[in-house]
Amino acid sequence: YRPIRPPKTRRRGVERAAGVLLRCPVPWMFSDDADRTLAARIRDLTPAMGRAEAILHAAVSRNFERESAGDDPWAALAPSTIEGRVRAGYSPGPILQRTHALASSISGGHGKDFAEVGTGVEYGQYHQTGTRKMPARPFLIATDRDLDLIGEAIADYIAGK
């Protein structure tokens, strides 16, 4: 398997701001039935990708709970932002959770060779990458440990565990 961290910019005309894409090449020829069984498992990793999706979703939820991009804390809110939240009747924190719409919008998907999570909330991309006036607070991040867990899930599935 080869985990690929999501790019922060356009790639091949497609915006990918979320998830981890996993691809596993399969040999074309197999010598016996055992190899054919293994090849069938490798060709369709859907069960392992379902587990990978759950790991990614947990990673993003953890980022919101810890107000961090993996192990890196998000930038603090500006005093003017905190004042504006309080004036509007919201609590001064947590970061990125004034209405909880962004955190609750996280959804995912998976197939035979991919797992991904993301949000359909339009302003999520600005929090993920930042703007000229707002620091990036990436929430769609998986840690190295998360990627290791995904690798283990794939290996266990292929091994028939």
Side-chain angles (χ1 to χ4, degrees):
Y1 72 96
R2 183 173 168 226
I4 304 169
R5 289 188 188 263
K8 294 181 182 177
T9 59
R10 285 192 170 281
R11 185 178 210 173
R12 292 188 211 126
V14 177
E15 184 73 33
R16 281 209 171 271
V20 173
L21 183 63
L22 300 163
R23 297 271 178 213
C24 185
V26 180
W28 288 97
M29 301 188 65
F30 303 97
S31 60
D32 60 30
D33 289 338
D35 285 345
R36 285 188 198 97
T37 301
L38 177 62
R41 293 181 80 75
I42 292 172
R43 276 192 190 108
D44 187 356
L45 297 169
T46 302
M49 293 296 102
R51 179 72 184 120
E53 178 189 343
I55 292 166
L56 291 172
H57 199 279
V60 172
S61 295
R62 189 173 57 246
N63 293 338
F64 278 103
E65 290 168 15
R66 295 181 181 173
E67 298 180 335
S68 67
D71 297 324
D72 301 321
W74 290 334
L77 293 174
S80 59
T81 301
I82 294 171
E83 291 170 12
R85 287 176 110 178
V86 171
R87 231 184 355 265
Y90 296 102
S91 70
I95 298 172
L96 297 189
Q97 296 187 62
R98 188 183 74 175
T99 65
H100 302 280
L102 182 58
S104 64
S105 74
I106 303 302
S107 62
H110 66 277
K112 66 181 186 174
D113 62 357
F114 76 94
E116 61 188 11
V117 295
T119 179
V121 174
E122 188 174 315
Y123 58 82
Q125 64 183 326
Y126 303 114
H127 290 297
Q128 181 74 17
T129 61
T131 68
R132 287 183 301 156
K133 295 183 177 184
M134 182 177 67
R137 294 184 178 98
F139 54 94
L140 297 171
I141 296 291
T143 65
D144 289 339
R145 177 67 184 135
D146 297 321
L147 297 178
D148 289 344
L149 290 172
I150 291 170
E152 290 170 16
I154 293 168
D156 287 350
Y157 173 74
I158 291 170
K161 295 180 184 177

